[in-house]
Amino acid sequence: MKAPFPPFDTQKYPSQILWYVIFFGLLYLLMKRFLVPRLSTIVEGRAARISGDMEEAQRLRVESDKALGTYEKALADARTAAHAIAQAGTDEAKAAAVKQRADIESSLSAKLEEAEARIGEIKAKALGDVGAIAEETAAAVVAALSGQQPSSDEVAAAVSSVSSK
Amino acid sequence: MANDPIHQFHIQEYFPLGQFGGMEFHFTNSAFAMGATVAIVTGFLLLATSKASLVPGRLQSVAEMAYEFVASTLRSSAGKEGMRFFPLVFSLFMFILVANFFGMFPYFMTATSQIIVTFALAMTVMLTVVVYGFMRHGFGFLGLFVPHGVPMAVVPLVSAIEVISFLSRPISLSVRLFGNMLAGHITLKVFAGFVASMASLGAIGVGGAILPLVMTVGLTALEFLVAFLQAYIFTVLTCMYLNDALHPGH
């Protein structure tokens, strides 16, 4: 009897099925228990680690953005405060200057008034002196011209009538 | 013996294990190939994941690539829920891939060139689909055979077609892998045989042997591609069938 084409030799089938079941079953068990968990831990672990790192980076970025915002706000606040201080200083100095000026002006005008009063006094006094000089001169002139000594009352009346004209 | 292209598919019985129910059990060369495949896959994955470093080395990169490749295939056809089947799909992919590559070594048996092995692989998938489908959806799993939006009058016809297509899945799944591996290895052996028989004819024969030699080199490269491609196709189809178990109403 001619032997059949080897792969179709049914005589050999039972052994092959038996060994297939043994070896493939063994491979499947090894895969399920050890090999696939080991591989997936590596691959999924890496994916998890990468996504974790990305999240951490994102979180740090948000944090640094926040810190930058705080810094900028602090800077703006400081600037405003500096402005306010400078403004207050200027205003104060200005007010002090104005006050000082006013004080000086008022003291000057007081001195001026005093001086004017003194001048008026001196003037009046001088004018009074002028009257007396005129009377004396007039009396002297009259005495020299007429040889008669006029009374002081007459001279005073005559001088005042002339000067009041 | 050397020039017989069929010889490589012979099952050699190394030692008997005994009889059971009228069936003989032996440790065979295909059993050795399957055992070696499992040992290589396990050893490779253990070695590759031994350091478990954040920045992978070469071995770890390859293991991670295989993982990502199968995981993305499974996720895209069966969704996130499909990941519960990941150990099975990854086992199937690695087993078929390494068994195919293992057969590329001269004098080694290609386990996936045995129809009974590929059929067992296909039945592993189909039994998972059927058992999980009924466990999860009860008789609602039968909704798989009644597509939505079909008029009542043609439902029996469509359902009959769906049932036939479902039943033919394990056959197409196993025959595709078996046929590709078998045909590839026969072609390779035939062309390699030409090289030997022409070279034995003398000086002119040696000159004439160059062409089949070039063909053999090219076919070897092609066979490596086919070995990967068939493992991939088997995996993709497995993912699609598992999707039916998860979401029978399509």
Side-chain angles (χ1 to χ4, degrees), chain B residues 115-128:
Chain B
I115 180 101
I116 188 67
V117 173
T118 62
F119 187 72
L121 282 163
M123 281 318 287
T124 308
V125 175
M126 296 326 284
L127 284 176
T128 308

Side-chain angles (χ1 to χ4, degrees), chain A residues 28 32, chain B residues 74 78-89 128 132 135-136 242 246:
Chain A
Y28 179 73
K32 200 171 164 67
Chain B
L74 184 57
K80 238 188 151 55
E81 263 185 291
M83 286 307 279
R84 67 168 64 234
F85 293 117
F86 184 77
L88 175 69
V89 178
T128 308
Y132 183 79
M135 257 172 56
R136 170 122 180 225
L242 287 171
L246 287 163

Side-chain angles (χ1 to χ4, degrees), chain A residues 1-97:
Chain A
M1 185 185 113
K2 196 173 173 288
F5 183 57
F8 298 130
D9 184 358
T10 48
Q11 276 272 301
K12 312 283 171 69
Y13 282 5
S15 327
Q16 297 205 66
I17 292 175
L18 172 73
W19 287 109
Y20 166 77
V21 170
I22 291 172
F23 284 128
F24 192 78
L26 177 72
L27 179 67
Y28 179 73
L29 274 181
L30 285 171
M31 279 285 186
K32 200 171 164 67
R33 288 281 153 80
F34 303 108
L35 302 174
V36 167
R38 278 174 78 148
L39 262 175
S40 69
T41 316
I42 293 172
V43 175
E44 314 298 337
R46 180 183 299 123
R49 167 120 187 226
I50 288 171
S51 70
D53 282 2
M54 294 293 268
E55 254 164 46
E56 176 73 4
Q58 185 64 27
R59 194 184 62 73
L60 288 174
R61 210 181 98 177
V62 168
E63 217 164 71
S64 80
D65 279 357
K66 213 191 277 169
L68 191 68
T70 319
Y71 162 74
E72 265 166 8
K73 195 173 162 293
L75 196 68
D77 284 355
R79 208 169 266 156
T80 318
H83 260 293
I85 289 167
Q87 193 64 44
T90 317
D91 285 354
E92 210 170 280
K94 236 180 225 169

Side-chain angles (χ1 to χ4, degrees), chain B residues 69-93:
Chain B
F69 181 70
V70 175
S72 70
T73 307
L74 184 57
R75 236 182 252 126
S76 66
S77 23
K80 238 188 151 55
E81 263 185 291
M83 286 307 279
R84 67 168 64 234
F85 293 117
F86 184 77
L88 175 69
V89 178
F90 195 54
S91 301
L92 283 168
F93 176 74

Side-chain angles (χ1 to χ4, degrees), chain B residues 119-236:
Chain B
F119 187 72
L121 282 163
M123 281 318 287
T124 308
V125 175
M126 296 326 284
L127 284 176
T128 308
V129 168
V130 171
V131 170
Y132 183 79
F134 276 115
M135 257 172 56
R136 170 122 180 225
H137 302 283
F139 285 100
F141 177 64
L142 295 173
L144 178 64
F145 304 116
V146 187
H148 286 301
V150 173
M152 277 313 282
V154 283
V155 160
L157 182 67
V158 172
S159 294
I161 293 171
E162 289 278 340
V163 169
I164 293 168
S165 102
F166 186 83
L167 291 179
S168 66
R169 276 173 182 182
I171 300 166
S172 70
L173 202 54
S174 55
V175 169
R176 183 181 300 109
L177 179 58
F178 158 72
N180 270 282
M181 298 323 290
L182 182 87
H185 280 77
I186 289 177
T187 318
L188 206 53
K189 186 79 185 220
V190 165
F191 275 95
F194 283 164
V195 178
S197 49
M198 285 187 89
S200 66
L201 291 180
I204 305 163
V206 169
I210 290 172
L211 196 65
L213 179 65
V214 170
M215 278 298 285
T216 307
V217 172
L219 277 172
T220 307
L222 184 73
E223 274 309 290
F224 274 107
L225 177 72
V226 168
F228 167 75
L229 211 59
Q230 286 306 317
Y232 174 60
I233 290 169
F234 198 97
T235 309
V236 169

